[in-house]
Amino acid sequence: MTYAFIQSDLQCKHVFLWFVEQEKDPGFWKEWAQRTLKNALTLQDLNKNVAKNIILFLGDGMGVPTVTAARILKGQLNGQNGEETQLEMDKFPYVALSKTYNTNAQVPDSAGTATAYLCGVKANEGTVGVSAAAVKSQCNTTRGNEVTSILKWAKDAGKSVGIVTTTRVNHATPSAAYAHCVDRDWYSDGEMPDEALQNGCKDIARQLFENIPDIDVIMGGGRRSMYPRNTPDVEYPGEKKHNGTRKDGRNLVGEWTDRMKDKRGYYVWNKKDLFSLNPNNVDYLLGLFEPADLPYELERNKETDPSLTEMVDVAIKILQKNERGFYLLVEGGRIDHGHHDGKAKQALHEAVEMDRAITRAGLLTSIYDTLTVVTADHSHVFSFGGYTHRGNSIFGLAPIISDIDQKPFTSILYGNGPGFKLVNGARENVSTVDFKQNNYQAQAAVPLSMETHGGEDVAIFSKGPMAHLLHGVQEQHYIPHVMAYAACIGQNKDHCRTNSGSPFLSHISPTLALLLSVKWLLC
């Protein structure tokens, strides 16, 4: 075992040395650039096919610095320097920037942004599935201000639809796909004020099953919001914090199971049960794997909890049986939580796992009929710098010490957050602590119990039909309009027919399109 490890390590070092030697040759860089140029020239032939399938990968809190750091981490996990590595999203041919502000916030939250990139309208922070006319936490401003999402547009068009997340399924991001709620924290009626309940507002968990009752695939966490108050959790029966929270006494999982029992619908709460299913025999799937959010990838029990990649794999295999195609929302939601906790290692490993899921989705679909978009809702005040050398561990120290307090510092730092710490009135000396452990909280400039979001633009990566429409610097609410246009759903459908009125046929071969057009004209 020891020899195998050393041999593997030597091989990695050999690759590293080869790469460094190659980089000394100008021809290496010129040839690389020429290959890139050749690939870029192929993009002149735009993919204007109809998108049978549309997939949105949402990295919650995955700002550009997070993308760069995750890229380096991915490479270093594979024994490389890291900087030259490509994430799967890096390979997408089109990249744009998204302006993330909410209608009432310069630095946004995940609820108002979710309403933008799912429903196509900007909204106030803290609200989901409602326009900016709705006021946060004021129930009586809900009615008449509801806005629908691209998930509903796809379902109305006959497509299968799914939601996969590493957070609870009634968290901010997924809830904007199906709910209309003036408060993102109304997870169950147990978290709602009496006034809101009396005025007829519904909690988000209830809306998951009632607003669009036939969502084909739902996977994530959030069990406790589905069961009556004090109902013990199936996985943690002895821990009261995981008990059900509902005041209305309803068992939403039981109701769903009863409704779907004759429709090839299955409920699962662990990886074993999930993997026991044959996707070919499943039309509806509800998977709730934790009482609240799923564990961080670094802490995941690989025997009992599925990874994001594994959930995406099962979801696509179920959804793609529909000949009309599918819409799938995938959220890497705990990138955000890692950053809020100041735990950069957790956040970056979450981002790398989401990139694995993107890779898996790419293997199961085709760029010819599947539009895939990867983006973030907002950024964080996360950064890395300090003139680190090539190949420096992304979680390592900068090569210099502070010329003010004469102490070392890690490359990764936060603008604010729980990592602020003084020892005897001075900044903590990071060389005295294990700054590479999974839950190390990186130093922060301003003390806060939770680190905050950042307000800068975030990236949009896209590939597949009509991906070229995601270009330049765009408002965030533009995203679902492009995706709907590509799939011929929602309000933009005129282009899906030729001038003569025959169906738009660019998603099939020219010969077949000609034959079908002639047949249509003769009918």
Side-chain angles (χ1 to χ4, degrees):
M1 292 293 291
T2 302
Y3 172 76
F5 172 79
I6 293 173
Q7 183 73 7
S8 175
D9 190 51
L10 286 173
Q11 288 173 345
C12 290
K13 288 181 178 178
H14 175 72
V15 171
F16 164 73
L17 291 173
W18 174 85
F19 205 94
V20 170
E21 285 302 313
Q22 292 295 310
E23 290 181 358
K24 296 177 181 178
D25 180 3
F28 168 80
W29 299 106
K30 293 178 180 178
E31 289 173 13
W32 190 346
Q34 288 300 311
R35 289 196 304 272
T36 305
L37 176 60
K38 185 176 180 180
N39 289 334
L41 290 171
T42 66
L43 299 179
Q44 294 179 101
D45 298 322
L46 300 178
N47 183 346
K48 296 184 179 180
N49 297 347
V50 172
K52 176 182 177 182
N53 311 310
I54 38 180
I55 305 175
L56 176 63
F57 280 92
L58 192 287
D60 198 315
M62 190 180 70
V64 172
T66 299
V67 172
T68 307
R71 178 189 303 131
I72 294 172
L73 174 59
K74 177 184 177 181
Q76 293 180 349
L77 289 172
N78 291 324
Q80 302 167 347
N81 282 330
E83 299 86 358
E84 72 287 346
T85 302
Q86 274 193 311
L87 291 167
E88 190 65 25
M89 66 187 88
D90 291 339
K91 302 173 186 176
F92 285 25
Y94 299 99
V95 181
L97 290 177
S98 168
K99 297 162 67 176
T100 64
Y101 66 91
N102 295 149
T103 48
N104 66 339
Q106 185 178 73
V107 178
D109 90 315
S110 295
T113 52
T115 304
Y117 61 75
L118 290 174
C119 302
V121 299
K122 289 253 182 181
N124 293 326
E125 63 91 18
T127 66
V128 293
V130 289
S131 71
V135 181
K136 183 180 178 182
S137 302
Q138 293 188 20
C139 171
N140 60 2
T141 66
T142 306
R143 185 169 298 176
N145 294 319
E146 301 92 341
V147 291
T148 58
S149 77
I150 187 171
L151 183 140
K152 188 174 190 308
W153 309 340
K155 192 65 179 177
D156 289 345
K159 295 183 182 294
S160 293
V161 297
I163 296 170
V164 174
T165 179
T166 52
T167 67
R168 63 200 81 180
V169 295
N170 49 344
H171 208 258
T173 295
S175 65
Y178 58 81
H180 312 289
C181 193
V182 293
D183 196 317
R184 58 175 288 178
D185 294 329
W186 291 354
Y187 299 120
S188 76
D189 61 343
E191 284 98 349
M192 293 177 65
D194 291 337
E195 181 182 6
L197 292 170
Q198 292 164 4
N199 286 334
C201 280
K202 299 179 181 179
D203 64 272
I204 296 171
R206 179 180 170 187
Q207 292 189 55
L208 171 61
F209 298 105
E210 294 183 356
N211 288 3
I212 309 176
D214 52 354
I215 296 175
D216 302 81
V217 174
I218 304 167
M219 281 192 278
R223 280 196 303 260
R224 70 185 184 195
S225 298
M226 314 300 171
Y227 291 97
R229 178 173 286 179
N230 297 324
T231 301
D233 182 73
V234 63
E235 189 174 8
Y236 310 103
E239 300 184 40
K240 291 186 177 180
K241 67 179 181 179
H242 295 315
N243 288 356
T245 60
R246 301 200 64 78
K247 292 192 296 187
D248 59 11
R250 293 177 62 178
N251 178 341
L252 298 181
V253 171
E255 293 176 15
W256 183 93
T257 303
D258 289 342
R259 192 171 73 247
M260 294 299 179
K261 62 183 178 182
D262 296 324
K263 298 181 179 180
R264 304 209 306 175
Y266 296 86
Y267 167 66
V268 296
W269 60 270
N270 59 65
K271 180 176 177 177
K272 180 181 177 181
D273 288 348
L274 176 66
F275 279 20
S276 71
L277 299 175
N278 181 344
N280 291 324
N281 300 324
V282 178
D283 289 336
Y284 296 95
L285 175 63
L286 174 63
L288 300 176
F289 303 106
E290 287 290 330
D293 304 315
L294 302 192
Y296 285 122
E297 177 62 20
L298 286 176
E299 299 172 356
R300 178 172 65 87
N301 184 325
K302 293 177 173 56
E303 299 299 318
T304 59
D305 296 318
S307 68
L308 183 62
T309 301
E310 291 166 340
M311 290 192 290
V312 166
D313 180 87
V314 174
I316 291 178
K317 288 176 179 176
I318 293 173
L319 297 173
Q320 67 185 4
K321 299 196 305 287
N322 187 339
E323 62 182 15
R324 294 188 179 183
F326 64 84
Y327 171 82
L328 176 61
L329 168 64
V330 181
E331 182 197 19
R334 303 221 64 195
I335 301 169
D336 178 71
H337 295 175
H339 282 321
H340 278 309
D341 290 342
K343 299 175 181 179
K345 192 167 186 177
Q346 298 284 11
L348 296 185
H349 276 270
E350 292 296 306
V352 170
E353 172 57 24
M354 192 180 87
D355 199 64
R356 292 191 194 103
I358 296 168
T359 301
R360 185 59 186 154
L363 293 172
L364 293 171
T365 57
S366 167
I367 60 170
Y368 296 103
D369 67 358
T370 302
L371 171 63
T372 304
V373 176
V374 180
T375 190
D377 46 359
H378 54 74
S379 186
H380 276 268
V381 291
F382 160 87
S383 66
F384 70 100
Y387 302 111
T388 47
H389 300 305
R390 178 78 178 276
N392 193 77
S393 168
I394 191 62
F395 304 116
L397 295 174
I400 58 175
I401 62 172
S402 168
D403 59 356
I404 303 298
D405 64 11
Q406 311 304 313
K407 293 176 182 178
F409 59 96
T410 55
S411 173
I412 288 176
L413 298 168
Y414 285 95
N416 56 50
F420 178 93
K421 184 179 291 186
L422 296 177
V423 177
N424 297 323
R427 181 172 70 91
E428 182 180 52
N429 188 333
V430 295
S431 65
T432 64
V433 299
D434 183 4
F435 52 80
K436 289 190 177 182
Q437 59 128 327
N438 292 351
N439 290 306
Y440 171 71
Q441 293 177 309
Q443 291 188 336
V446 176
L448 289 176
S449 57
M450 286 183 66
E451 177 264 6
T452 72
H453 295 169
E456 73 269 23
D457 299 347
V458 297
I460 310 170
F461 305 87
S462 58
K463 69 174 181 177
M466 298 294 179
H468 56 278
L469 297 179
L470 289 165
H471 67 100
V473 180
Q474 304 292 349
E475 295 287 354
Q476 193 170 48
H477 74 280
Y478 173 65
I479 295 171
H481 291 277
V482 169
M483 299 183 75
Y485 183 91
C488 293
I489 62 176
Q491 71 182 83
N492 296 114
K493 298 177 184 176
D494 291 345
H495 67 290
C496 301
R497 310 183 76 83
T498 66
N499 292 333
S500 61
S502 61
F504 185 69
L505 297 168
S506 67
H507 63 296
I508 58 179
S509 70
T511 302
L512 183 56
L514 177 61
L515 290 173
L516 290 176
S517 296
V518 170
K519 181 179 178 181
W520 182 87
L521 290 169
L522 293 175
C523 291

